[in-house]
Amino acid sequence: MASRTCLTLVLAAGEGTRMKSAKPKVLHEAAGRSLVGHALSSALAAGASRLAAVIGPDRGDVAEEVRRYASTAQVFVQKERLGTAHAVLAARSALEQPADDILVLFADTPLVRPETLTRMREALSDGAAVAVLGFSASDPTGYGRLIVQNDELVAIREERDASADERKIGFCNAGLMALAGKHALELLQAVSNANAKREFYLTDVVGLARGLGLKTVALEADEAEVQGVNTRVQLASVEAQFQVRLRTAAMEDGATLIAPETVFLSADTKIGRDVLIEPNVFFGPGVTVEDGATIRANCHLEGAHVGKHVTIGPFARLRPGASLGEHTRIGNFVEIKNAVLDNDVKVNHLAYVGDAHVGADANIGAGAITCNYDGAQKHRTEIGAGAFVGVNVALVAPVEVGAGAYIGTGSVITKNVPADALAVARARQEVKEGWAAHRRAKNPKKKS
């Protein structure tokens, strides 16, 4: 398909009132990515030469999301909702530019694979003017039926217009369509709104194409792949499908998931070979885990890079900007945020490292924290290679701890510590013999 140009048009104008949400349906997320983001990502993976999206009025948030995934995408506004063909024609200026193939996708159908889009384009390459994607429905009620004769699609019949025999057909319209570029605009402009709803239906192009003697075909996808999202229940169903895909791909690529059904991945999660993931681990967007790492139970990772042979958790949190060098160990109840930890660093338990750089072989003790926020600004902490930060130490940023330095337990460090130095910043212990007994005698407990 590399020799053929392709315009992919994503329809994203629906508000999704059944979602009962303040934000439009297409901005809701599954597998850490917006629904419209999934559609655009699949289009790019299928080799789209150009991308365009049709959005609703005053939806700058949707336009921004479109350009987050496709910076060069054209964005068009459908001012009135007068049907799917009307929505496609909102992008008329994009359609007027030459393209061999035109794909029409729906932003609320996020599970469609790039391979399926490629098959639709191949149908155009083989001579079809229109290729429609369908599925064999477990329950076809409410769907338009695809009527196929002699390997060609002869009609799309809406259920209310179908005969009794046609309603028995289980092959249904999934909505997605591919159009030969040389015929697309002619067919779309010929669509009429002479129907009960006075709307312009994209499905009418099948009959129009056949009236011109053009070839129309239907391709089949799995029902799960083409399920749409109109409610939060359906959103949860789509999420479940994504998780099955992502877990399966991770395991097939060489990772071990002890309890796959308890691990939640994002669409862009990258997991290397021989990675071990224990139960109840959540991967937000932007996580890379390199070969041989171990993620123990009940960890949460987002926007983080985990180096080779790192061990994390249990009960650890990596926030955006966390980057862990090889063989680093992050233990239970440790939080890392916007910090680079070099190789062989140990932060074994109950610590917070934020806005920091920690050199190789350094050790961060239990209860140690970097005090990075002064109420107005964030500040960085530098901890040198081989440094030892004791238990319950507070490093008040901005501050530097030199290589090989030792910070005594319970210290509050507010000034830079030179390399190989010992820093102790705590009150000297004082013991007063007999003080407690004297206090009890002076203030005896009252009996209840």
Side-chain angles (χ1 to χ4, degrees):
M1 306 304 295
S3 62
R4 296 177 64 88
T5 57
C6 177
L7 165 66
T8 299
L9 180 61
V10 178
L11 303 186
E15 288 296 314
T17 54
R18 281 185 283 171
M19 298 291 282
K20 297 182 180 178
S21 175
K23 64 181 180 181
K25 173 173 60 176
V26 300
L27 295 187
H28 284 265
E29 294 186 348
R33 179 179 287 169
S34 65
L35 300 184
V36 68
H38 281 293
L40 292 164
S41 296
S42 290
L44 288 168
S49 311
R50 292 184 289 124
L51 284 169
V54 176
I55 66 174
D58 303 315
R59 290 270 54 130
D61 49 358
V62 177
E64 183 179 355
E65 183 72 357
V66 167
R67 293 195 171 106
R68 189 161 79 90
Y69 286 91
S71 59
T72 60
Q74 295 176 276
V75 177
F76 300 91
V77 177
Q78 184 187 18
K79 295 180 181 179
E80 297 180 273
R81 292 183 175 86
L82 299 177
T84 47
H86 179 265
V88 173
L89 280 172
R92 179 186 295 270
S93 63
L95 294 166
E96 289 172 344
Q97 300 174 46
D100 295 312
D101 307 330
I102 293 172
L103 286 176
V104 180
L105 313 184
F106 292 83
D108 60 1
T109 311
L111 284 159
V112 178
R113 300 174 186 269
E115 296 84 356
T116 300
L117 303 182
T118 298
R119 284 199 295 126
M120 296 178 72
R121 294 186 61 195
E122 288 171 347
L124 300 182
S125 179
D126 291 340
V130 180
V132 174
L133 190 63
F135 65 101
S136 295
S138 54
D139 179 7
T141 303
Y143 292 108
R145 308 305 204 273
L146 300 183
I147 301 173
V148 178
Q149 296 176 0
N150 300 321
D151 295 326
E152 288 198 20
L153 176 66
V154 298
I156 302 177
R157 194 84 73 223
E158 295 303 322
E159 186 173 62
R160 62 180 175 274
D161 301 322
S163 67
D165 286 339
E166 288 172 340
R167 290 182 182 181
K168 295 177 183 178
I169 296 172
F171 192 31
C172 298
N173 180 28
L176 285 76
M177 185 178 290
L179 302 166
K182 60 185 177 181
H183 300 298
L185 204 53
E186 178 187 5
L187 293 172
L188 290 165
Q189 291 178 144
V191 173
S192 165
N193 68 342
N195 52 64
K197 288 190 174 182
R198 308 300 295 173
E199 291 186 354
F200 299 87
Y201 296 127
L202 184 61
T203 51
D204 287 354
V205 302
V206 172
L208 292 168
R210 294 192 65 80
L212 295 173
L214 300 173
K215 182 179 179 181
T216 57
V217 299
L219 305 176
E220 184 169 359
D222 185 78
E223 182 174 12
E225 182 180 359
V226 296
Q227 64 181 291
V229 176
N230 291 300
T231 68
R232 297 195 191 245
V233 173
Q234 292 171 340
L235 181 65
S237 176
V238 164
E239 178 73 59
Q241 290 294 326
F242 270 123
Q243 293 306 322
V244 169
R245 282 188 192 179
L246 295 167
R247 294 162 186 159
T248 301
M251 291 186 286
E252 289 179 345
D253 287 343
T256 295
L257 279 61
I258 292 177
E261 69 280 5
T262 71
V263 174
F264 284 79
L265 301 161
S266 287
D268 63 352
T269 304
K270 296 179 175 62
I271 299 176
R273 294 183 177 181
D274 296 316
V275 170
L276 173 64
I277 302 174
E278 293 184 355
N280 301 317
V281 175
F282 182 90
F283 293 87
V287 176
T288 296
V289 181
E290 295 193 19
D291 297 350
T294 296
I295 315 296
R296 301 209 178 278
N298 301 296
C299 290
H300 188 288
L301 298 82
E302 181 180 358
H305 186 279
V306 178
K308 294 180 179 178
H309 307 292
V310 166
T311 299
I312 300 173
F315 295 99
R317 184 183 182 194
L318 301 186
R319 293 170 59 190
S323 179
L324 310 182
E326 296 181 10
H327 298 282
T328 288
R329 289 171 55 188
I330 304 298
N332 51 292
F333 304 106
V334 171
E335 181 178 343
I336 309 293
K337 189 271 294 186
N338 192 30
V340 176
L341 280 60
D342 293 342
N343 296 347
D344 297 291
V345 170
K346 296 177 181 61
V347 191
N348 279 326
H349 35 215
L350 303 165
Y352 169 70
V353 180
D355 298 291
H357 171 241
V358 183
D361 293 302
N363 185 92
I364 310 296
I369 63 172
T370 57
C371 307
N372 53 330
Y373 185 52
D374 64 6
Q377 299 182 45
K378 299 289 180 70
H379 302 281
R380 289 192 65 79
T381 298
E382 291 284 339
I383 301 173
F388 185 95
V389 178
V391 171
N392 287 334
V393 167
L395 300 172
V396 183
V399 71
E400 297 181 12
V401 176
Y406 194 107
I407 310 298
T409 294
S411 296
V412 178
I413 301 300
T414 59
K415 297 180 181 180
N416 293 345
V417 179
D420 296 318
L422 166 65
V424 181
R426 60 180 183 240
R428 183 180 298 275
Q429 181 172 320
E430 182 179 346
V431 177
K432 294 184 178 182
E433 296 286 348
W435 181 91
H438 176 73
R439 182 181 183 278
R440 286 193 296 270
K442 186 176 179 181
N443 299 291
K445 289 184 179 179
K446 293 181 181 180
K447 293 183 179 181
S448 59

